[in-house]
């Protein structure tokens, strides 16, 4: 665990065999200071000094984006649903090589929020750039974190419907190179992802796979009542 010894876990006293209780919180955790260790064009690494719930002062290595706009999330992720007459509804996905992973990834279209943009405007712009599709925003989440043990990066997920019968969307033109667009049927979403992972060396974004699991439950187990063992 980044920052040293874990707290708040239950351990066993070997001499008595009894479970010992975790330390009780005595203070509200808070940041003391943040020091920049290294900085690049897009990211910076900081040493964060903070006080934990029992009053101990600790340090944490934190990555942050240098591009964050005031009072906004860092970026947007777009769940875009392509709707066409006589076709299944499809989720618009992007496949691209990601240097940190060393391979291609399967992701929702996504991107950073530019200065002066709302999440909705950023989402429609990124969707057009990455996939060529023009859509309509139908929902936006609150600001959510991405990997809070590593970074303070935040995102908003924007739900978009695409009218596939619209002339502009029948032959969409991408504005970005090296991004492959995939259309995965909504009712077969997780199976399509699993098949793709078997065929190719590809890593799936966790948000994508969790969405697939949710869709699988919704389509195939809507009325299943779980029975807990007594």
């Amino acid at each position: 665990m980044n920052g040293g010894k874990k707290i708040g876990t239950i351990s066993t006293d070997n001499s008595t065999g009894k479970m010992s209780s975790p330390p009780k919180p005595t203070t509200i955790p808070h940041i003391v200071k943040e020091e920049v260790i290294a900085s690049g064009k897009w990211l910076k690494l900081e040493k964060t000094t903070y006080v934990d719930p029992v009053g101990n002062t600790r340090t944490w290595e934190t990555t942050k984006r240098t591009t964050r706009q005031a009072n906004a999330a860092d970026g947007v992720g777009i769940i875009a649903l392509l709707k066409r007459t006589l076709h299944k509804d499809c989720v618009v996905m992007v496949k691209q090589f990601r240097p940190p992973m060393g391979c291609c990834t399967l992701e929702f279209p996504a991107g950073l929020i530019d200065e002066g943009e709302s999440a909705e405007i950023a989402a429609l712009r990124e969707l057009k750039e990455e996939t060529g599709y023009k859509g309509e925003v139908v929902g936006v989440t609150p600001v959510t974190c991405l990997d809070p043990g590593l970074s303070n990066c935040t995102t908003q997920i924007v739900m978009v419907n695409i009218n596939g019968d619209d002339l502009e969307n029948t032959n969409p033109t991408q504005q970005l190179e090296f991004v492959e667009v995939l259309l995965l049927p909504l009712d077969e979403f997780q199976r399509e992802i699993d098949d793709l992972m078997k065929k190719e060396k590809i890593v799936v974004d966790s948000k994508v796979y969790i969405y697939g699991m949710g869709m699988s439950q919704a389509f195939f187990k809507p009325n299943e009542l779980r029975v807990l063992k007594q």
Side-chain angles (χ1 to χ4, degrees):
M1 177 178 178
N2 189 351
K5 181 181 177 182
K6 287 185 178 180
I7 61 172
T9 57
I10 298 177
S11 58
T12 302
D13 186 334
N14 291 330
S15 62
T16 63
K18 295 181 179 180
M19 302 297 287
S20 58
S21 300
K24 292 184 178 180
T26 58
T27 187
I28 298 174
H30 59 277
I31 303 298
V32 177
K33 61 179 178 179
E34 298 170 312
E35 303 168 89
V36 176
I37 299 174
S39 184
K41 181 178 180 181
W42 302 100
L43 298 172
K44 60 183 176 181
L45 174 64
E46 292 185 350
K47 182 173 76 171
T48 303
T49 302
Y50 70 103
V51 174
D52 70 16
V54 294
N56 296 320
T57 300
R58 298 175 180 266
T59 60
W60 198 277
E61 293 176 356
T62 306
T63 58
K64 294 182 178 182
R65 289 193 178 275
T66 60
T67 52
R68 174 175 290 184
Q69 306 299 321
N71 302 317
D74 290 295
V76 291
I78 305 127
I79 301 178
L81 202 59
L82 178 64
K83 296 176 174 289
R84 297 168 291 178
T85 302
L86 301 179
H87 288 78
K88 288 185 175 181
D89 290 352
C90 289
V91 185
V92 181
M93 307 298 300
V94 292
K95 174 185 169 185
Q96 57 188 317
F97 181 79
R98 289 295 197 182
M101 297 301 300
C103 64
C104 286
T105 60
L106 182 69
E107 308 170 34
F108 293 123
L112 298 177
I113 297 175
D114 289 343
E115 185 175 0
E117 283 187 326
S118 64
E120 293 89 340
I121 292 174
L124 294 178
R125 173 182 56 77
E126 288 288 350
L127 181 66
K128 182 68 175 177
E129 291 176 359
E130 293 191 4
T131 71
Y133 285 111
K134 180 180 179 181
E136 176 187 8
V137 173
V138 294
V140 185
T141 70
V143 176
T144 58
C145 58
L146 286 170
D147 191 349
L150 174 69
S151 173
N152 73 337
C153 289
T154 55
T155 187
Q156 287 181 266
I157 304 300
V158 181
M159 283 68 76
V160 174
N161 282 345
I162 301 169
N163 181 359
D165 296 333
D166 191 313
L167 184 62
E168 188 174 2
N169 290 323
T170 56
N171 189 27
T173 302
Q174 296 170 258
Q175 299 175 19
L176 297 180
E177 296 181 295
F178 311 123
V179 175
E180 180 182 349
V181 177
L182 302 178
L183 304 178
L184 303 185
L186 182 63
D187 63 351
E188 302 174 26
F189 192 72
Q190 186 174 0
R191 185 180 64 79
E192 291 281 346
I193 292 174
D194 289 337
D195 288 346
L196 186 64
M197 293 173 69
K198 293 175 183 176
K199 295 176 184 176
E200 303 181 25
K201 182 185 177 182
I202 190 170
V203 176
V204 178
D205 187 299
S206 61
K207 297 185 295 297
V208 170
Y209 205 87
I210 291 170
Y211 180 79
M213 292 173 68
M215 289 298 101
S216 179
Q217 290 290 320
F219 276 104
F220 301 111
K221 300 180 181 179
N223 300 313
E224 181 179 288
L225 178 63
R226 296 187 178 276
V227 179
L228 300 178
K229 293 182 178 179
Q230 299 298 322

